[in-house]
Amino acid sequence: MIPYLPLNEINAQYEPQLSQSLHHVVERGWYIMGREVELFEQEYAQYIGCKHCIGCGNGYDALWLIFQAYKQMGILHDGDEVLVPANTFIASVLAITHNRLHPVFVDPSPTSYLMEHKQIKGAVTKKTKAVLLVHLYGQNSFSDDIKKLCDENGILIIEDNAQAHGAIYNGARTGSLGHAAAHSFYPGKNLGALGDAGAVTTDDTALAQQIEQLHNYGSSEKYVHRMQGVNSRLDELQAAALRVKLRHLDADNNRRRAIATEYINRISNPLVTTPTVQEASAHVFHIFPLMCRQRDALQKHLTDAGIQTQIHYPIPPHRQECYKEHATLHLPIAERLALHELSLPCHPLLSNDDADKIIDAVNNFTILT
């Protein structure tokens, strides 16, 4: 079986440095808010191209902290509208509603699968106070037109960079393009920890200071709590692992691009659609999505050929029971993607031979009538 994502083998390629870095943390005996976190925050901020990086517990927390900080600063208020793509993972939406903000689901582009300027412009109202740009599958969603539209209307641009570590727009990395960005280091991400981990990046010093307090029980001084904060801190072990992996991120992304380019150039089955890529050299291909009307049959065909695949995401957020108040929305592109999407293996350790087998298997897929 060709696995979708063999994390044990992927992590093994960083040895012995990975184990050594973890061992050093254990030896030092300092596990929370120590030197490894400080260094990772500095290194990741420099990599992304931002003044500030604040490590936190996970990608959802990073988003929640951004919205909550803007509320604490009086910039966002209960009931403000936040535009969010209708085809994102539910964490993007939960961070909005858990802050008593109102999500406005926006159907994505039918070609890029991203929320683009055209879709955003059509959804903006006087109540719109923020846009959550999700760099889905590893492809940048930001544009100069979006920035101009948001600047003209006083709208915050918040990036969900959970799937796009290292993606680029006009020479700048995603995570540095808006007012603030949330990053997830869930183990399966392009930059993955050994458990849950996340971060916020921003150039806004006042926002960074607010988040620094919020994620540490509302405190910047021990036993002094200026706000009702939460406990969402990046721990030393995860930071140490991330520091090792960060050094390899660009090379790993380049390998993903090479595999994805082979898929795009060589998959020729008329029953499937490969993704439209704006700029292959800027995409990091966290996910390589195929679209197929016979998605379930294709998945079975590939399983029978010894190829493991995944589906992202079979139920869009507005059709989830927890958001049943939005169930009457008709968002045809998001709903179609949920029915048709199938993700192929696309990771740094996938061999050329295995990529060839995957391409051949997809091209050999037929529907018997």
Side-chain angles (χ1 to χ4, degrees), residues 48-349:
I48 293 296
C50 278
K51 293 179 182 177
H52 307 284
C53 171
I54 306 100
C56 62
N58 53 67
Y60 161 80
D61 283 2
L63 280 172
W64 183 89
L65 287 162
I66 292 169
F67 288 122
Q68 180 62 205
Y70 277 127
K71 290 189 71 178
Q72 295 277 351
M73 296 166 72
I75 296 172
L76 291 177
H77 303 87
D78 285 3
D80 284 346
E81 290 183 355
V82 180
L83 305 188
V84 59
N87 58 320
T88 187
F89 181 58
I90 201 164
S92 306
V93 188
L94 289 171
I96 297 169
T97 58
H98 284 171
N99 275 293
R100 296 183 179 180
L101 302 169
H102 181 72
V104 175
F105 293 103
V106 179
D107 223 13
S109 160
T111 53
S112 71
Y113 317 139
L114 301 173
M115 187 173 65
E116 297 180 348
H117 173 262
K118 178 182 177 181
Q119 290 81 22
I120 293 171
K121 185 176 181 180
V124 168
T125 71
K126 292 182 179 179
K127 296 181 180 180
T128 306
K129 301 302 179 183
V131 170
L132 181 56
L133 291 180
V134 180
H135 304 306
L136 193 70
Y137 304 144
Q139 181 161 226
N140 163 64
S141 182
F142 179 91
S143 71
D144 289 343
D145 287 339
I146 291 174
K147 184 179 188 305
K148 181 180 179 183
L149 174 67
C150 290
D151 286 348
E152 290 173 349
N153 290 275
I155 297 170
L156 294 168
I157 296 177
I158 299 168
E159 299 173 74
D160 183 335
N161 202 49
Q163 298 186 4
H165 312 135
I168 295 171
Y169 174 75
N170 285 352
R173 297 196 191 278
T174 55
S176 70
L177 304 171
H179 294 89
H183 308 256
S184 168
F185 306 122
Y186 184 78
K189 303 296 186 184
N190 290 35
L191 179 61
L194 302 179
D196 273 327
V200 174
T201 55
T202 184
D203 281 332
D204 186 333
T205 298
L207 179 70
Q209 291 173 344
Q210 197 82 3
I211 292 172
E212 285 278 9
Q213 293 184 70
L214 269 174
H215 85 132
N216 186 36
Y217 297 106
S219 172
S220 57
E221 180 183 351
K222 193 170 184 177
Y223 299 131
V224 178
H225 304 270
R226 295 181 174 85
M227 63 184 70
Q228 296 180 28
V230 296
N231 175 11
S232 180
R233 301 175 299 204
L234 178 64
D235 69 63
E236 287 287 284
L237 287 168
Q238 301 302 341
L242 289 168
R243 290 188 64 214
V244 171
K245 292 187 174 188
L246 180 58
R247 300 164 198 153
H248 302 272
L249 179 57
D250 286 342
D252 288 349
N253 284 342
N254 285 336
R255 177 57 185 161
R256 289 175 180 267
R257 291 187 187 106
I259 295 163
T261 299
E262 289 295 301
Y263 287 162
I264 291 169
N265 290 340
R266 294 172 53 199
I267 290 176
S268 56
N269 191 326
L271 295 174
V272 304
T273 302
T274 55
T276 299
V277 175
Q278 298 165 350
E279 184 181 350
S281 62
H283 198 313
V284 296
F285 294 99
H286 171 62
I287 292 169
F288 189 92
L290 289 182
M291 299 298 160
C292 179
R293 289 180 180 272
Q294 299 83 16
R295 188 262 310 281
D296 294 345
L298 174 59
Q299 185 172 46
K300 183 181 184 304
H301 168 79
L302 293 176
T303 299
D304 291 344
I307 299 163
Q308 187 180 49
T309 58
Q310 287 194 7
I311 296 172
H312 298 88
Y313 303 98
I315 306 173
H318 69 286
R319 292 293 174 86
Q320 297 284 355
E321 185 177 353
C322 62
Y323 288 118
K324 58 188 176 184
E325 66 270 26
H326 299 283
T328 58
L329 291 174
H330 181 50
L331 299 162
I333 306 302
E335 290 158 16
R336 188 189 77 201
L337 295 177
L339 291 173
H340 295 174
E341 194 276 341
L342 185 68
S343 305
L344 296 182
C346 187
H347 58 81
L349 293 188

